[in-house]
Amino acid sequence: MGRKSLYLLIVGIFIAYYIYIPLPDNTEEPWRMMWLTTQLNTAEKLAAFVELLGLHHIMDSLMFALSIYEVPPTSDENVTVTETKFNNILVRVYVPKRKSEALRRGLFYIHGGGWCLGSAASRYYDLLSRWTADRLDAVVISTNYRLAPKYHFPIQFEDVYNSLRWFLRKNVLAKYGVNPERIGISGDSAGGNLAAAVTQQLLDDPDVKIKLKIQALIYPALQPLDVDSPSYQENSHFPFLSKSLMVRFWSEYFTTDRSLEKAMLSRQHVPVESSHLFKFVNWSSLLPERFIKGYVYSNPNYGSSELAKKYPGFLDVRAAPLLADDNRLHGLPLTYVVTCQYDVLRDDGLMYVTRLRNTGVQVTHNHVENGFHGVFSFPELKIHHRLINQYIEWLKENL
């Protein structure tokens, strides 16, 4: 074997080693999954390296990389797409072109991205909004909101809430031909968090007379108190969303001070005076037995009060909807929850399903045994289209 052939063989082995990622046996299209994972891992590592050099914050670098996937608000043969502002928040509006004699459904959608990344202009969210508007014959509002690390909680929550309240005004609904009795809210990941949070907030808002008919939460992040549940342990290094990255997202939501992130990873961020909140996120009593799988619940290691005083947001129900008490949950609308087996956030969704059902809320739970976090953002995969179809069919039946 010549020297050139040997070098090529070595390079090939290193490339194969870098690309190959062990995946569960029930993974669909594993090689395509590996290729997508390689692209994401490369971007994340490069962004982390740039941050290590002190050049740019990791989230700023990732957002720059994601910006290449943004598309303009272009109408097509089925849907008219425009951009406007709802209470100074930039939104995209998707309206079916076919004539409708009746008022249409309305769906308010909130993109994910760990409160740091993403945009309504993303190609993936643009596609989802188009498909939903066309197939559901609905007006879809896809909202933006200001992002970390430049902005922290409660800015993201307030932007979404103010945008939603604007949409729910009678004159705005009339402008877009939306039936005020058929309005829903939806979001994925951090967007699912914001959807759950603003839906709870609406219950206590006397100025909003129009209420939501449904909420559809796609692998939502719902609490930062316990990041050591079985799903966090099982999927701590799983592609697309590792435990360390999710904790970084949570921490960035509240502050750029990395001491909060370190305390969260060591389970020492909650002070003893807030210990009563753990009953709302105690997975040993809220998870179905098959998801516990022999894991043993251990009491948290309480930290000092300093972090909670500096960054009280991580104990705020507006940031952690699972911390709502049962009286608050009882008034929530018909709910659809998607959870994925291979997702650190799986148990957040499962616990919310249990708590909602315990308070009498009607919940449809779609658990995807071979699903993973972010699957709604990968139209290259067959599983993506199957889940989108199930999501839209549920909306057709219930909204």
Side-chain angles (χ1 to χ4, degrees):
M1 181 182 293
R3 182 174 295 178
K4 184 180 292 186
S5 298
L6 180 61
Y7 288 158
L8 288 173
L9 176 62
I10 293 172
V11 170
I13 291 172
F14 274 109
I15 292 174
Y17 176 79
Y18 184 74
I19 293 177
Y20 178 77
I21 297 169
L23 294 171
D25 293 338
N26 62 346
T27 301
E28 290 186 54
E29 303 178 282
W31 285 103
R32 186 167 289 180
M33 281 270 292
M34 289 180 197
W35 175 238
L36 291 171
T37 302
T38 300
Q39 296 176 63
L40 291 173
N41 285 347
T42 300
E44 184 183 339
K45 288 176 181 177
L46 284 173
F49 181 66
V50 169
E51 182 177 60
L52 188 64
L53 294 177
L55 300 177
H56 291 285
H57 192 285
I58 185 172
M59 299 303 171
D60 291 334
S61 297
L62 289 173
M63 190 62 186
F64 175 78
L66 288 173
S67 67
I68 66 173
Y69 296 103
E70 294 185 358
V71 295
T74 306
S75 301
D76 59 30
E77 65 273 16
N78 298 316
V79 179
T80 299
V81 184
T82 57
E83 272 189 346
T84 186
K85 288 187 177 182
F86 283 3
N87 204 8
N88 293 319
I89 306 301
L90 188 66
V91 302
R92 285 199 176 188
V93 183
Y94 299 78
V95 181
K97 284 187 173 180
R98 61 182 177 272
K99 292 184 178 180
S100 176
E101 294 182 1
L103 294 174
R104 288 189 163 99
R105 303 173 176 98
L107 185 69
F108 188 89
Y109 195 88
I110 310 162
H111 71 80
W115 309 278
C116 302
L117 309 172
S119 164
S122 164
R123 168 177 167 259
Y124 309 111
Y125 290 113
D126 180 72
L127 280 173
L128 177 60
S129 296
R130 287 173 191 273
W131 291 339
T132 305
D134 183 38
R135 292 177 54 187
L136 194 61
D137 193 24
V139 174
V140 176
I141 307 298
S142 183
T143 190
N144 283 296
Y145 49 92
R146 285 172 288 178
L147 301 170
K150 186 175 182 180
Y151 301 99
H152 301 291
F153 175 84
I155 293 297
Q156 291 85 340
F157 170 88
E158 290 175 347
D159 281 357
V160 170
Y161 193 64
N162 290 331
S163 176
L164 175 62
R165 290 182 86 238
W166 186 271
F167 178 52
L168 293 178
R169 294 169 59 174
K170 288 184 179 180
N171 63 319
V172 176
L173 296 178
K175 175 183 177 181
Y176 293 109
V178 174
N179 186 336
E181 296 181 356
R182 304 184 74 182
I183 300 172
I185 190 168
S186 185
D188 64 294
S189 193
N193 166 282
L194 291 165
V198 298
T199 302
Q200 290 184 11
Q201 187 76 7
L202 276 180
L203 298 176
D204 302 324
D205 193 332
D207 296 328
V208 180
K209 307 303 181 184
I210 296 170
K211 301 303 179 182
L212 299 174
K213 185 177 181 182
I214 63 97
Q215 60 173 341
L217 312 177
I218 303 163
Y219 36 75
L222 297 171
Q223 60 83 29
L225 271 68
D226 187 350
V227 292
D228 202 40
S229 69
S231 63
Y232 269 101
Q233 295 183 56
E234 290 171 24
N235 302 299
S236 61
H237 299 291
F238 197 81
F240 303 108
L241 184 65
S242 64
K243 174 179 177 176
S244 59
L245 181 58
M246 187 62 230
V247 170
R248 181 72 186 270
F249 279 140
W250 269 120
S251 179
E252 292 292 339
Y253 189 21
F254 307 114
T255 176
T256 52
D257 179 358
R258 308 247 346 235
S259 64
L260 177 59
E261 176 190 0
K262 293 176 182 177
M264 289 179 67
L265 287 170
S266 61
R267 301 180 71 203
Q268 294 181 325
H269 57 300
V270 180
V272 67
E273 55 266 32
S274 300
S275 60
H276 63 284
L277 296 176
F278 279 100
K279 66 183 179 183
F280 298 127
V281 298
N282 186 333
W283 53 262
S284 67
S285 60
L286 294 171
L287 290 183
E289 184 60 35
R290 75 184 184 94
F291 293 101
I292 295 178
K293 296 179 181 177
Y295 287 96
V296 178
Y297 183 82
S298 59
N299 292 324
N301 303 313
Y302 298 113
S304 70
S305 303
E306 183 179 351
L307 281 175
K309 289 177 180 177
K310 289 172 68 176
Y311 316 116
F314 69 86
L315 301 174
D316 193 315
V317 69
R318 296 173 299 168
L322 256 175
L323 300 185
D325 61 34
D326 289 351
N327 290 333
R328 189 183 185 93
L329 296 182
H330 177 71
L332 291 174
L334 181 67
T335 300
Y336 181 75
V337 178
V338 176
T339 57
C340 294
Q341 183 67 21
Y342 307 114
D343 180 6
V344 293
L345 297 178
R346 180 195 72 203
D347 294 346
D348 281 19
L350 290 172
M351 288 190 285
Y352 206 45
V353 168
T354 298
R355 292 202 57 213
L356 289 176
R357 285 175 173 167
N358 288 345
T359 60
V361 176
Q362 187 178 344
V363 180
T364 298
H365 177 210
N366 182 9
H367 180 68
V368 189
E369 290 290 349
N370 61 343
F372 57 91
H373 193 87
V375 65
F376 267 58
S377 299
F378 293 101
E380 304 90 342
L381 300 174
K382 294 177 182 177
I383 188 175
H384 163 91
H385 295 280
R386 188 165 63 251
L387 294 180
I388 294 294
N389 289 338
Q390 294 169 0
Y391 166 74
I392 293 177
E393 285 303 313
W394 186 87
L395 291 174
K396 278 184 180 179
E397 294 175 8
N398 296 283
L399 180 56

